[in-house]
Amino acid sequence: MNNKILEFSSISKKVFMALAGLFLIVFLLVHLTINLFLLLGDGGKLFTASAHFMSTNPVIKIFEVFLFGGFILHIIIGILLTLKNWASRPVGYNQSNKSKTAFFSKYMIWTGLIVFTFLAIHMMNFYFVKLGLVQPPDGVGKHEFYQMTILLFSNKVYSSIYIVLLIILGFHLNHAFKAAFQTLGLNHNKYNCTIGFLGTAYSIIVAGGFIIIPIYFMFFF
Amino acid sequence: MSKIESKIPDGPIAEKWSNFKSHCKLVNPSNKRKIDIIVVGTGLAGASAAASLGELGYNVKIFCYQDSPRRAHSIAAQGGINAAKNYQNDGDSVFRLFYDTVKGGDYRAREANVYRLAEVSNSIIDQCVAQGVPFARDYGGLLDNRSFGGAQVSRTFYARGQTGQQLLLGAYSTLSRQIKKGTVKMYNRRDVLDVVVVDGKARGVITRNLTTGEIEKHFGHAVVLATGGYGNVFFLSTNAMGSNVTPAWAAYKKGAFFGNPCFTQIHPTCIPVHGDFQSKLTLMSESLRNDGRIWVPKNIEDVEKLRNKTLKPKDISEENRDYYLERRYPAFGNLVPRDVASRAAKERCDAGYGVGATGLAVFLDFSEAIGRLGKSVVEARYGNLFQMYEKIVDENPYETPMMIYPAVHYTMGGIWVDYNLMTTVPGLYALGECNFSDHGANRLGASALMQGLADGYFVIPYTIADYLADEIHTPRMSVDAPEFVAAEKAVKERLEKFISIKGTHSVDYFHKKLGKVMWEYCGMGRNEEGLKKALELIPVIRKEFWSDLKINGELNEYNPEIEKAGRVADFLEMGELMVRDALNRRESCGGHFREEMQTEEGEAKRDDVNFAYAAAWEYTGTDSEPVLHKEQLEFKDIELKQRNYK
Amino acid sequence: MNLTLKIWRQPSVDKKGKFETYQINDISADCSFLEMLDQLNEKLINDSNGPVDFTKCPVSFDHDCREGICGMCGLYINGRPHGPDSGITTCQLHMRKFKDGDTIVVEPWRSKAFPIIRDLVVDRGALDKIIQAGGYVSVNTGGIPDANSIPISKRNSDLAMDAASCIGCGACVASCANASAMLFVSAKVSQLALLPQGKIEAKERVQSMVKEMDSLGFGNCSNTYGCEAECPKEISKSNIARLNREFIGAKVCYENEVTRAAGGA
C-alpha cells in the first residue's frame, strides 16, 4: 500500500488526504456529541449508555476499522506530502515570506503532529484500557469511562494540556475544513463564503465544545 | 541590371495567391524528413512558422534569446488583430482591408503582398480560435470586434488589452506540441550572431549560448529570420530590452538587401519620458483612442499654470481646450492613423502647448467617455490599461486625464523580400516585422499581429516548399565546412574584441548616445541638414565605441554586457543606414516625414513620380557606402491618392 | 533616495553564492526597480578597474519587455516575489514603494525545479516542459472551420481569458511555501477546459500535465494561496479547484492510464 501511495500523483494523494480528513471531521462531531453528555448532570448515565453502545454495536465496530484506516492514511499521506514539499525547496530564502497567505495552512504538519501525540495519550487513557491493553486506574473498571474522565479532568495539569491541545486542533480544523473542499474541487463562487463560514464555525464549535468539558469538571463539578 | 526581382505571380490580384499555391513546387513527406530548417525568433511569425513547418514534417531548429519562446515581444501587443470577416455587417471585405492597409501605408507597400495578407487574415482568426485563444465575445457567444485607427469598419479582434499575448501563447502552445513530438528542436537563451552562406545559399547560423558563452554552429537547408524590428536603435522605444537587429544585420552583411530602413513608426499613445535613467517606453494601446479624446490647452497661459501646478487639467473649460485631432481631421477625429496622430502631437508640443513637466506630452481624456458610458463600462474596456498607467505614473486616469507622447514603436522597414518572403540570398527568408513587405511607410494598428501570423502559418509553408523542392538532393552539411568555420572565427574575433578594448564607458553609454542622435535627427521629423549631421555623428560614436568600450566579466559565462555590446555594435551601423535612406527619400510618406516636403497645412507630401519605389540597400562594407536598388511599386488595383483623413 | 541593497550573487549553478551589500544613492522615486538595478550596474562598471571579482560585475537578472507582460523578470524582494506591491511584475515595481534609507534584500526564485544560472537568473524551463506535456489543443495549421461556428458563452470565454492571462513568470512557485506549480498548471488546464475547443482532449491533458509537473520537482499544493497573492495577473485560486475537479473527473472516468503519444496526433 505504501508503494502505491508513493506512486500516486500529487493531486490523488491530496484527494485521499481530504477524504480521510472529512471522514475524521464527521467522527469528531459524533465524539463531541457523546462527550457533551458528560455535562448533563445525570451522573453520567447517558454518557455511559452511549459509550456502551459505541463499543458494542457491530455496525460501529465496522466503522471503527474505517476510522483507524482514515487516521493512518491521513497521517501517512500528510507526512509524505510534507517531505516532498520540503525537498522541493532545498535552498530557502534569506527573508521569510511576507506574502498574504492562509496562515494555518503553513503549519498543518506541526499542528497535525501535535494532535497526533495527543491522540496517542488519549488512546492510552481510554481506548487501550477498553481493549485491556492498559490497566485502568485503581478502583475503576475498564468500561467505566465516566469515572476515568472525572479522574483525568480533576487533574489540573492534564486538563490544561488538554485545553491547549484542543486549541491547536481547532487551528488544524480551521484550515482543514475549507482546504478539503478546495482539494476536492468543490469550489463555487456562490457557496465559497458558506463553506468558509462553516469551516470557521465548525472549528470553533468542535474545539470549544471539547474544551468546555474539562473547564466544567475543573471549576463547576 | 536590377538584382531584385519581386516574383509576383501573374493574374488578377485576387487570384495571384491561389495561382501560386496551385502551381508552386511541393516536397513529398518522405523528403521533408531529410530537410532541416532553421528559424530565428519565437514571436508570432517565428513560432507559427516553426510549428507549421514541424507539422508538415520538416526538421526544424528554432532559436530565441529569451529563456522561453513564450517571451518574444509579440506578447506585448495590446490592441488586436485585423481580419476581413465582416462579422459586424459594416461593409468590410478582403478588398477593403487590402485597400485600407495600402492607403494606411501611404502607398509604399507591394500590392500583391498586401492583398495576400488580407486574403489569409480570416484563416488566422479561425486558426487561433481553434487553438483556444479566448477572443472577446458578445453575450450571444459570437466574436466581438472593435475599431482601430485608419479604418471606418470594426474589424479588429481582441482579447482584452492582451491580444498579442494570447495569440503568441496560441502559437507557443502549437510550437510546444511540436517540440514534444520532436519535429522542432528548441534552443533558448541563444543569440544568433551570423548567417552562414555556402555557394550563395543560406545554410546555417552561428549562435552564442548565452548561459555558457559557447559558440555553436547549426546547419539548415534554409534559414528563416523572424527576428522582429530594430526600433531599439533609438535606445528608448516600446520594444523589449533585448529586441535587436543582429541576425537581420548579419544577413544584410551576407548579401540580403535591406528594404526601406528609414520607415519607422512612432506610436502616438505612449507614456512620456520622465528621466535620464529611463530604460524603455511603455505603450498605451491605440484602442484607447476609441473613447479617449486628445487635447492640449488652447491658451498658452493655461499651459504655464498647468506646469507650475496652479491649475488642474479638469479645471480647464471645454472652450479653452484644443481637441486638435478632431479640429484638423473631423472625419476620422481621434482615430487617424498613427503617423498622423504622432506628428500632430509633435506639432502642438513644438508650438509650446505641450503639457507635463517636460512639455513633451498631450492629454488623453476619458472624462467625456466616463460621462457617456459610465465608469464601469470604461473600466471593463480599458481597466487593465488604466491600472498599468497608474502603476507607472502614480496618477489615477479615471480622475485626471492621461498624459501621452509619441514613441518609437515599430519598424516598417526590414530585410527586402520577394513575394515568396525570400531575401536576395537564396534559402534565406524573412518573416513578420523583420521583413519590409506589407506595411509600406506606416503600419495600421492591429496589422502587425496579422502579418506575423499570416507569414508564419499560411505563407511560408507554401513558399519555402517551392525552394526546398530543389534541395531534396542536398545532403546535410557538416558544420566543419570551411564557410562555417570562417563564420565562427569571425564571430569569436568580434566578441574577443569587445572584451579586449578595456575602455572607460559601458555599452549603455554608447547606446544612449546613438539613441539621442537618432531621435533628434531621424525621428518624427527629418530634414536634410539634420540627416547630414547624423551621418557625421554616428560614425564618430561608432569609432568611440570600438575604442572606449568597457565590459566587466568574461566571454565564456553568462554575461549580459556581451549580449548588449553585440547588439549596440550593430545598431551603430544600422542607424547610419536608416539615416542614409531617410536622406535619399526626398518625400514625406507615412512615418517618414521630411520637413521640407509638406503641404501648406503641414501634411505629408508624397512624391509618386520619383519615389514610388521600395529602397533596397546592398551592403558593400562597413565604411563604404551601400548601393541602392529600387523596386518600382506598381499600383494597378488602387489609385494613388493623397491620403485624406479630414 | 539612498538605499542599501543586499543582493544574492552566484557566478554559476555549480559555484557557491553569497549575499553582497551595495550602496546606491540619488535614486528617483519615479524610477522602476529594474532601472534602479540598471543604475547600480552602470555604477559597478564605472567604479571597477582591471579584472574584477564576480561581485563587482554587473548584477545579472532576467528582464525583457519591461511592461509586465513577457514574464521574464522575477525577483524575490524583501520576502515577496515581485516586491512590495500586488498585481505587478518586478519591472512594474517603482521605487516610490520604498523609503529613503531602506535596506532591500534581493533574492532569486528558490525552487528545486528552477536551478540558478547566475545571480538572480534562474532556469524556468520546467514550466515550458509542463506546457509541452499537454498545454495545447492538438490542431494543425489549416482546414479549420469558421471562427464563429461554435458560439462560446461570454462567461466561459471571460473565465478562460482570466486564466489565460498567466505570463509564466513563476512567482506562484516562488511564493508557495512548497514551491508548487499548481497555479501555473491550473491556469492552462482551466483555460482549455473552459473552451469547447480544448474540452475534446481535456481528460488526457490534465493527467499528462499533472504527471509532468510531479516529475519536475515541484511541491504539492497545501492551499496556502501565496500563489494567488503574488500572481502579477491576479489569477484566482479557483482555477486550482477546477484543476482538482478536472483531475478527479479524469481519473474516475478515464479507462486507461495516460497512453497518448507525446504531443497527440
Side-chain angles (χ1 to χ4, degrees), chain A residues 65-169:
Chain A
V65 176
F66 280 105
L67 182 62
F68 279 110
F71 264 118
I72 292 166
L73 197 67
H74 194 75
I75 293 163
I76 290 178
I77 299 179
I79 291 172
L80 286 176
L81 288 171
T82 306
L83 290 177
K84 172 88 193 274
N85 290 348
W86 288 345
S88 60
R89 181 168 290 136
V91 183
Y93 290 111
N94 171 283
Q95 296 287 296
S96 61
N97 188 285
K98 292 179 189 64
S99 307
K100 200 168 151 275
T101 54
F103 180 78
F104 297 125
S105 68
K106 289 187 177 174
Y107 307 100
M108 289 303 270
I109 186 69
W110 303 118
T111 51
L113 287 174
I114 292 168
V115 170
F116 175 69
T117 41
F118 169 67
L119 188 70
I121 300 169
H122 197 63
M123 300 276 281
M124 293 283 284
N125 289 337
F126 295 94
Y127 193 73
F128 291 164
V129 174
K130 184 185 85 177
L131 293 183
L133 297 171
V134 174
Q135 280 302 312
D138 289 343
V140 180
K142 71 172 190 174
H143 288 293
E144 292 172 6
F145 297 119
Y146 185 67
Q147 271 71 25
M148 289 182 222
T149 310
I150 292 173
L151 211 61
L152 278 173
F153 283 151
S154 59
N155 177 344
K156 293 224 158 123
V157 177
Y158 179 86
S159 291
S160 310
I161 295 174
Y162 183 91
I163 290 168
V164 171
L165 289 173
L166 274 159
I167 291 173
I168 291 171
L169 175 66

Side-chain angles (χ1 to χ4, degrees), chain C residues 236-249:
Chain C
S236 162
K237 63 182 184 243
S238 64
N239 290 300
I240 298 182
R242 188 179 290 106
L243 165 64
N244 292 336
R245 203 154 63 226
E246 288 286 322
F247 186 81
I248 295 167

Side-chain angles (χ1 to χ4, degrees), chain B residues 182-381:
Chain B
T183 58
V184 177
K185 181 135 179 47
M186 178 73 224
Y187 294 86
N188 60 349
R189 293 198 193 269
R190 297 296 200 290
D191 257 352
V192 171
L193 297 178
D194 204 359
V195 175
V196 181
V197 177
V198 181
D199 297 332
K201 290 175 174 172
R203 290 298 189 204
V205 292
I206 307 292
T207 63
R208 177 169 182 270
N209 181 327
L210 302 182
T211 310
T212 62
E214 201 182 330
I215 303 300
E216 305 155 333
K217 297 170 280 189
H218 296 275
F219 164 80
H221 288 88
V223 176
V224 177
L225 299 182
T227 58
Y230 46 87
N232 273 346
V233 164
F234 292 86
F235 184 70
L236 284 181
S237 78
T238 65
N239 284 189
M241 300 300 286
S243 297
N244 65 80
V245 74
T246 296
W249 198 247
Y252 167 68
K253 287 182 163 179
K254 286 288 170 81
F257 295 177
F258 214 105
N260 296 335
C262 78
F263 286 167
T264 318
Q265 177 161 83
I266 317 277
H267 196 292
T269 50
C270 298
I271 298 177
V273 179
H274 54 84
D276 267 346
F277 49 80
Q278 191 149 1
S279 59
K280 79 152 271 164
L281 296 170
T282 304
L283 176 82
M284 302 309 294
S285 169
E286 172 165 331
S287 62
L288 291 170
R289 288 200 273 142
N290 269 310
D291 288 308
R293 297 177 72 195
I294 294 174
W295 62 277
V296 290
K298 214 175 252 173
N299 306 318
I300 206 89
E301 306 85 58
D302 288 346
V303 174
E304 292 294 325
K305 283 186 200 156
L306 281 172
R307 256 179 236 168
N308 55 36
K309 302 213 164 138
T310 50
L311 185 69
K312 285 196 174 134
K314 61 179 174 192
D315 297 332
I316 297 178
S317 63
E318 279 298 310
E319 63 270 18
N320 287 326
R321 297 179 177 193
D322 177 13
Y323 295 96
Y324 58 85
L325 286 177
E326 296 168 30
R327 167 169 60 80
R328 286 175 65 177
Y329 310 100
F332 279 67
N334 291 296
L335 281 175
V336 291
R338 291 172 175 179
D339 56 331
V340 178
S342 292
R343 267 199 304 280
K346 181 181 189 299
E347 188 275 328
R348 282 292 82 194
C349 292
D350 287 351
Y353 291 91
V355 296
T358 54
L360 292 175
V362 297
F363 289 127
L364 177 60
D365 198 335
F366 285 85
S367 54
E368 187 264 344
I370 291 171
R372 176 166 46 92
L373 304 162
K375 192 182 163 191
S376 60
V377 174
V378 172
E379 192 172 348
R381 283 188 193 164

Side-chain angles (χ1 to χ4, degrees), chain C:
Chain C
M1 56 176 86
N2 301 333
L3 301 160
T4 306
L5 300 167
K6 244 179 96 181
I7 300 177
W8 180 259
R9 304 302 310 262
Q10 182 173 338
S12 62
V13 66
D14 45 2
K15 297 209 178 86
K16 270 191 70 159
K18 60 176 177 182
F19 279 99
E20 189 74 19
T21 306
Y22 303 94
Q23 198 66 40
I24 185 152
N25 301 334
D26 301 325
I27 294 295
S28 155
D30 285 334
C31 101
S32 77
F33 193 84
L34 296 186
E35 282 164 356
M36 183 275 293
L37 287 182
D38 287 343
Q39 290 173 73
L40 172 70
N41 283 345
E42 185 78 13
K43 182 168 145 2
L44 285 173
I45 294 173
N46 290 338
D47 290 355
S48 64
N49 244 325
V52 287
D53 177 55
F54 75 91
T55 56
K56 299 283 182 291
C57 285
V59 181
S60 298
F61 56 92
D62 261 335
H63 64 103
D64 201 28
C65 79
R66 295 213 179 182
E67 49 187 281
I69 193 72
C70 76
M72 195 137 166
C73 64
L75 303 175
Y76 188 86
I77 302 160
N78 284 351
R80 286 185 67 184
H82 295 309
D85 198 355
S86 327
I88 53 153
T89 57
T90 305
C91 64
Q92 292 174 300
L93 177 67
H94 279 71
M95 296 312 290
R96 62 180 82 95
K97 292 278 164 192
F98 299 91
K99 290 195 299 289
D100 187 34
D102 274 1
T103 296
I104 306 176
V105 184
V106 192
E107 303 176 66
W109 283 177
R110 295 285 190 189
S111 159
K112 187 181 168 193
F114 295 165
I116 289 182
I117 290 176
R118 187 183 167 103
D119 298 344
L120 305 168
V121 179
V122 299
D123 179 359
R124 285 167 291 195
L127 300 181
D128 285 330
K129 289 209 182 88
I130 294 175
I131 298 294
Q132 285 159 18
Y136 45 74
V137 177
S138 296
V139 289
N140 283 351
T141 305
I144 307 282
D146 186 84
N148 258 348
S149 57
I150 309 173
I152 303 174
S153 76
K154 182 165 165 55
R155 184 185 163 273
N156 272 11
S157 159
D158 284 350
L159 283 175
M161 181 62 216
D162 288 341
S165 59
C166 168
I167 55 172
C169 65
C172 46
V173 178
S175 73
C176 177
N178 318 317
S180 163
M182 283 283 275
L183 190 66
F184 173 82
V185 176
S186 73
K188 188 48 78 180
V189 166
S190 286
Q191 177 204 341
L192 297 177
L194 282 160
L195 299 171
Q197 290 83 3
K199 201 111 209 165
I200 293 158
E201 50 189 331
K203 288 196 165 56
E204 293 92 335
R205 174 182 308 113
V206 66
Q207 292 184 76
S208 46
M209 285 180 77
V210 168
K211 199 171 178 183
E212 186 72 19
M213 170 186 81
D214 286 345
S215 72
L216 289 166
F218 294 104
N220 307 287
C221 174
S222 59
N223 304 326
T224 302
Y225 311 134
C227 52
E228 185 191 52
E230 299 300 355
C231 175
K233 298 297 155 191
E234 299 176 322
I235 291 172
S236 162
K237 63 182 184 243
S238 64
N239 290 300
I240 298 182
R242 188 179 290 106
L243 165 64
N244 292 336
R245 203 154 63 226
E246 288 286 322
F247 186 81
I248 295 167
K251 277 287 177 195
V252 171
C253 308
Y254 209 63
E255 289 179 3
N256 306 310
E257 281 294 295
V258 182
T259 51
R260 76 165 164 179

Side-chain angles (χ1 to χ4, degrees), chain B residues 16 104 114 117 137 142 205 236 261 264 335 397 430 520 540 543 554 562:
Chain B
K16 284 183 194 292
V114 180
L117 177 67
R137 284 172 188 273
L142 301 181
V205 292
L236 284 181
T264 318
L335 281 175
E520 181 73 24
V540 175
K543 209 171 149 219
E554 305 297 325
I562 299 282

